[in-house]
Amino acid sequence: MDESFQFRSALQGDTAAFADLIRQHQAMVFSIALHYLQDRALAEDIAQEVFLELYQKIRTIESEKHLLCWLRRVAANRCIDQGRRKKTRRETDLDSLPEPASQGGHSDPLLSERLRQTLSLLPEKQRMMVILRYQEDLGPAEIADLLKMPVNTVKSTLHRTLEELRKKLVHKIGEVRYALF
Amino acid sequence: MHFSEDDLRAALKRQDPGEGFAQRVMARVNQAESAPEKPPRRVWFLRLRPALVAVAAVLLLVIGLVVGYQQEQVAQQARARKAEQQAVLALRIANAKLNRVFERVNQRQTVPKVQRESL
């Protein structure tokens, strides 16, 4: 089905089109929550709530671009709220991790896992910035708009966060040096 | 062990929640839609709550102002009564003094006459 037609149909209350809209964006919303909370069940719950809220507010969505932006913003805010409530800093369950083959070719699954674990040790906003930057490939301006922060703050925080990530990773693995970017 | 931005991108690659996610969301949507609405009385109360708080605040302010004004009036009246009493007392003292002066003046005027007559 054509995406814009699907969006218009969902806007008019077509539940089948809305279900297609969910399928189209579920990986994005779920992954933001999963990478932020490091808890598959909680991430699924948050993602469901985001789409539930979308269903209630679908009439306020003006375009597909707006929809994408709205989904990211609501997912980010819900994750930050949830993180504040539960302060989830737990280690990832190995069973919940995807198989190395699903990581896509050349990447090191062990390094990926270490990076995700270390990311979960970062403060809330910094963690979300890294997710939006490297999962969603958003620029500093888009992240600033999404998290309602000045662009320069986002740039400096991202830079600082990567440094922090490097230090934490070195500390976590116990190796002396890592080359970063 | 080195890592780059691409490693970070690979670590944060999107993952699918799995089969049936959309159905589970739609089930929750249907459940939310079929759930009975909250009793209107509570909704009314919740809607009116900010207005009630505002009315109560205004009412308290008005009562405070009225009570303050009344207390100020009472204090003013008490001050006026005290000033009046002091003025009356001052007049009485002045009256007494004047009476004495008059008496003395009268005495001075009458005594030489008597003395002259007796001579």
Side-chain angles (χ1 to χ4, degrees):
Chain A
M1 200 191 290
D2 176 27
E3 282 182 14
S4 63
F5 174 74
Q6 190 184 68
F7 173 70
R8 282 199 305 275
S9 302
L11 212 63
Q12 285 160 4
D14 182 344
T15 49
F18 186 76
D20 286 338
L21 214 63
I22 295 171
R23 281 183 207 103
Q24 196 184 325
H25 298 292
Q26 64 185 32
M28 177 187 77
V29 175
F30 174 73
S31 301
I32 290 175
L34 179 65
H35 291 143
Y36 187 88
L37 298 163
Q38 295 289 311
D39 183 321
R40 222 177 162 83
L42 208 55
E44 160 128 9
D45 204 41
I46 294 282
Q48 284 189 14
E49 280 172 14
V50 171
F51 285 110
L52 212 60
E53 192 178 334
L54 174 68
Y55 186 80
Q56 287 156 357
K57 294 182 179 170
I58 188 100
R59 284 176 201 285
T60 63
I61 308 295
E62 292 156 7
S63 61
E64 285 169 81
K65 197 181 168 192
H66 183 205
L67 171 71
L68 213 60
C69 200
W70 188 95
L71 284 170
R72 284 181 183 135
R73 177 176 288 131
V74 173
N77 289 337
R78 278 186 180 265
C79 287
I80 291 169
D81 287 347
Q82 180 65 36
R84 280 178 188 154
R85 274 202 296 272
K86 284 200 82 177
K87 286 275 173 205
T88 40
R89 289 278 194 276
R90 59 192 237 184
E91 298 291 305
T92 310
D93 181 7
L94 282 174
D95 294 337
S96 72
L97 290 174
E99 290 299 313
S102 70
Q103 288 292 310
H106 57 275
S107 67
D108 177 0
L110 182 68
L111 176 62
S112 291
E113 173 50 20
R114 294 285 188 204
L115 279 168
R116 280 194 294 271
Q117 281 183 357
T118 315
L119 186 71
S120 72
L121 301 171
L122 292 175
E124 294 145 1
K125 286 246 165 147
Q126 294 179 346
R127 207 182 328 160
M128 187 51 78
M129 272 184 206
V130 172
I131 292 168
L132 293 172
R133 179 78 188 91
Y134 294 102
Q135 182 197 301
E136 292 304 307
D137 254 331
L138 297 184
E142 290 168 297
I143 296 172
D145 181 49
L146 219 133
L147 297 177
K148 299 201 184 311
M149 292 170 87
V151 183
N152 286 335
T153 309
V154 171
K155 281 181 186 171
S156 59
T157 311
L158 260 176
H159 183 76
R160 205 176 56 243
T161 304
L162 292 177
E163 285 295 313
E164 211 173 310
L165 197 61
R166 182 184 62 85
K167 280 177 194 162
K168 281 184 193 292
L169 196 66
V170 168
H171 178 74
K172 196 172 177 65
I173 297 178
E175 287 186 9
V176 182
R177 291 186 71 185
Y178 271 87
L180 179 66
F181 316 121
Chain B
M1 204 172 183
H2 298 264
F3 75 89
S4 63
E5 285 190 314
D6 284 338
D7 289 325
L8 208 48
R9 281 195 183 91
L12 298 175
K13 204 179 167 195
R14 283 183 184 177
Q15 291 181 34
D16 202 80
E19 282 293 308
F21 176 80
Q23 280 91 332
R24 289 195 288 279
V25 175
M26 291 316 292
R28 277 183 76 170
V29 165
N30 293 331
Q31 196 183 3
E33 278 196 331
S34 62
E37 284 181 21
K38 285 177 184 175
R41 202 175 159 186
R42 182 162 167 74
V43 174
W44 266 99
F45 173 73
L46 284 175
R47 279 187 188 165
L48 280 175
R49 203 159 56 178
L52 284 172
V53 169
V55 167
V58 170
L59 217 65
L60 275 173
L61 190 72
V62 169
I63 289 170
L65 284 173
V66 167
V67 168
Y69 178 75
Q70 280 179 343
Q71 282 183 344
E72 180 58 30
Q73 289 286 90
V74 168
Q76 239 176 20
Q77 282 172 359
R79 281 198 298 272
R81 267 201 301 275
K82 201 174 173 183
E84 187 187 332
Q85 284 168 356
Q86 283 176 342
V88 167
L89 185 66
L91 284 172
R92 276 183 187 155
I93 292 166
N95 186 35
K97 293 256 181 192
L98 280 172
N99 281 342
R100 253 190 218 174
V101 171
F102 280 129
E103 275 172 24
R104 282 195 180 175
V105 169
N106 286 338
Q107 274 177 359
R108 279 192 182 172
Q109 281 176 348
T110 51
V111 170
K113 251 185 188 176
V114 175
Q115 281 174 348
R116 252 181 271 142
E117 280 168 7
S118 64
L119 286 170

